[in-house]
Amino acid sequence: LGSENGPSSVTHPRLTLASLLVVPVLGTILCVIATRHGIGIGQDSAAYMGAADNLLHGRGITTPFDLSGSTLSPAQVFAFYGAVPLVHFPPLYPVSLAAISSTGLPIASGARWLNAILMAANLFVVELLVRRFSTSRLLVPIAAALLLLAGPAVFFHQNLLLIDEGAWSEPL
């Protein structure tokens, strides 16, 4: 049955949810394809993955090595015996990696799948925010697609997909 504005003004909740999931699912697929040969690993990634491994092995949120720019002397680092406290990076990402890897999945694979899921979550949140503050239904997927393809380029000089290709905390 229609409303005062006609039958086309009634939107089915499942159709709305399905339309909101298109770009996030596409982003997840692109992220999985982009990391099919493995997650990108750099110094930050090594710190996060090392901290996750140490956490899994009962050494707390520590890294197995010292980070560049550390204020610790070589003697202080040696005294930690491969469990240097992680103080330079946020702890939620290595904790999340350790939680996923506690299922038996290797840490690098866990990072790959966590980032793919976070890609979808971030795009979905953007769509919800745009939907909340805009009257245009067309703007919702366009805004999410722009974020997927060009978003953080303004700040990080790279796109969201490149950020989600590495084992970094930015997607979280």
Side-chain angles (χ1 to χ4, degrees):
L1 295 252
S3 67
E4 293 176 1
N5 298 329
S8 63
S9 67
V10 177
T11 305
H12 197 280
R14 285 188 199 159
L15 182 60
T16 300
L17 180 61
S19 68
L20 285 174
L21 291 176
V22 171
V23 175
V25 168
L26 177 63
T28 299
I29 291 168
L30 289 174
C31 189
V32 169
I33 290 169
T35 59
R36 68 188 173 278
H37 299 296
I39 193 94
I41 298 176
Q43 180 179 343
D44 292 6
S45 307
Y48 290 128
M49 294 168 71
D53 187 62
N54 276 359
L55 188 57
L56 284 170
H57 290 95
R59 293 188 289 268
I61 302 177
T62 61
T63 60
F65 53 85
D66 189 27
L67 302 165
S68 66
S70 171
T71 58
L72 299 174
S73 71
Q76 289 171 315
V77 172
F78 182 74
F80 283 115
Y81 298 105
V84 180
L86 181 72
V87 295
H88 184 72
F89 294 102
L92 185 57
Y93 191 69
V95 168
S96 301
L97 289 178
I100 291 169
S101 297
S102 69
T103 64
L105 193 64
I107 292 172
S109 296
R112 177 181 183 228
W113 291 104
L114 175 62
N115 285 11
I117 291 166
L118 290 172
M119 168 73 83
N122 288 329
L123 292 170
F124 188 70
V125 167
V126 165
E127 286 186 330
L128 290 178
L129 288 171
V130 172
R131 186 168 184 247
R132 168 76 171 94
F133 294 106
S134 172
T135 57
S136 170
R137 297 275 187 217
L138 184 60
L139 186 58
V140 173
I142 290 173
L146 285 174
L147 177 64
L148 171 63
L149 300 174
V154 174
F155 302 107
F156 299 114
H157 305 290
Q158 54 191 340
N159 66 33
L160 190 62
L161 188 57
L162 287 176
I163 289 172
D164 281 331
E165 284 180 16
W168 303 333
S169 64
E170 280 79 1
L172 191 57

